Amino acid sequence: NAGVTQTPKFRILKIGQSMTLQCTQDMNHNYMYWYRQDPGMGLKLIYYSVGAGITDKGEVPNGYNVSRSTTEDFPLRLELAAPSQTSVYFCASSYDTTRETQYFGPGTRLLVL
Amino acid sequence: AQKVTQAQTEISVVEKEDVTLDCVYETRDTTYYLFWYKQPPSGELVFLIRRNSFDEQNEISGRYSWNFQKSTSSFNFTITASQVVDSAVYFCALSAFSGNTGKLIFGQGTTLQVKP
């Protein structure tokens, strides 16, 4: 049972480059989330999705885009990478909102130079 | 506004000591959920416990116990007889019902170092 998987594990980007962080879950969860964790800090919500075709902004959405074409996948797109986007990115999923536990992927460490 | 405060940034104990990690939360919602997650040095986030606002019973799971007190808006986590493997960053998080988004509000985390 894979749970939530994320690729890549680590990536170095140059300023201005773009990339997509992949997230897949095999638990048939409706809700999926993207968080970022800056050093010494808790996690902050970037975007979330309540189902295929439905996405919405979280606390810190600027510089990111998402799509949700299937229940399983929730990719996060970084356009024009900036040093401020250096962070660890976590994808999470839950069956339902608020009541249910969110299960996290292993994270993607991104360094923008 | 919703907020989670973990006032202890770092705690260092010697193995076998008991240690309590504090968590204080703020919310105006009457229905909410509280969570604890563990982040070991490998970086993943491991779910430990979920508690809803209507259940104030304390919970014990092996060496772990949680004390939920609505009167003081606290949800503290105690590790009994700590072990080196308990060394990690521990996050307390709040999920409130308003907006129905399930957004988790995280505290800044407490780094626990257990020395042999």
Side-chain angles (χ1 to χ4, degrees):
Chain A
N1 193 359
V4 180
T5 58
Q6 293 182 237
T7 57
K9 290 184 179 180
F10 176 66
R11 182 76 180 267
I12 298 175
L13 279 183
K14 294 182 179 178
I15 294 172
Q17 287 185 323
S18 301
M19 77 165 293
T20 299
L21 281 64
Q22 301 293 343
C23 175
T24 300
Q25 55 91 9
D26 63 0
M27 298 176 281
N28 202 31
H29 284 169
N30 293 318
Y31 292 76
M32 296 187 74
Y33 314 82
W34 274 106
Y35 293 88
R36 60 176 287 173
Q37 183 183 23
D38 298 323
M41 304 292 288
L43 280 69
K44 292 187 177 180
L45 183 66
I46 305 171
Y47 271 96
Y48 66 96
S49 169
V50 301
I54 307 170
T55 63
D56 207 346
K57 296 178 181 179
E59 294 178 81
V60 289
N62 292 341
Y64 307 95
N65 279 299
V66 294
S67 60
R68 183 100 181 267
S69 56
T70 67
T71 300
E72 295 79 17
D73 300 309
F74 190 40
L76 177 71
R77 177 83 177 161
L78 278 71
E79 305 283 359
L80 299 175
S84 61
Q85 293 178 305
T86 293
S87 191
V88 180
Y89 292 84
F90 287 96
C91 179
S93 72
S94 64
Y95 178 70
D96 193 357
T97 185
T98 63
R99 301 173 184 83
E100 298 294 328
T101 298
Q102 292 184 23
Y103 293 95
F104 286 80
T108 293
R109 186 175 297 273
L110 177 66
L111 180 60
V112 182
L113 299 175
Chain B
Q2 293 157 358
K3 186 179 179 182
V4 175
T5 301
Q6 294 179 255
Q8 304 152 307
T9 304
E10 294 184 17
I11 300 176
S12 181
V13 299
V14 176
E15 206 169 20
K16 298 185 182 178
E17 284 185 17
D18 297 347
V19 58
T20 295
L21 283 61
D22 297 334
C23 173
V24 174
Y25 63 92
E26 296 176 26
T27 180
R28 293 182 179 178
D29 292 304
T30 56
T31 302
Y32 53 89
Y33 294 79
L34 295 163
F35 301 80
W36 276 95
Y37 284 87
K38 174 182 180 180
Q39 187 174 41
S42 51
E44 73 272 24
L45 280 158
V46 179
F47 164 72
L48 295 178
I49 189 171
R50 177 187 66 176
R51 178 52 50 93
N52 74 58
S53 52
F54 299 106
D55 182 3
E56 288 194 72
Q57 280 192 330
N58 291 333
E59 183 155 339
I60 298 175
S61 177
R63 297 184 295 108
Y64 295 171
S65 62
W66 291 268
N67 184 335
F68 176 32
Q69 292 195 341
K70 288 179 76 171
S71 61
T72 57
S73 296
S74 64
F75 187 42
N76 296 337
F77 173 31
T78 296
I79 301 175
T80 303
S82 61
Q83 300 176 1
V84 172
V85 293
D86 295 326
S87 296
V89 182
Y90 291 87
F91 290 99
C92 180
L94 165 71
S95 176
F97 195 75
S98 62
N100 207 30
T101 64
K103 183 174 71 172
L104 279 180
I105 307 296
F106 282 84
Q108 291 190 319
T110 296
T111 299
L112 174 64
Q113 183 182 29
V114 181
K115 298 178 181 177

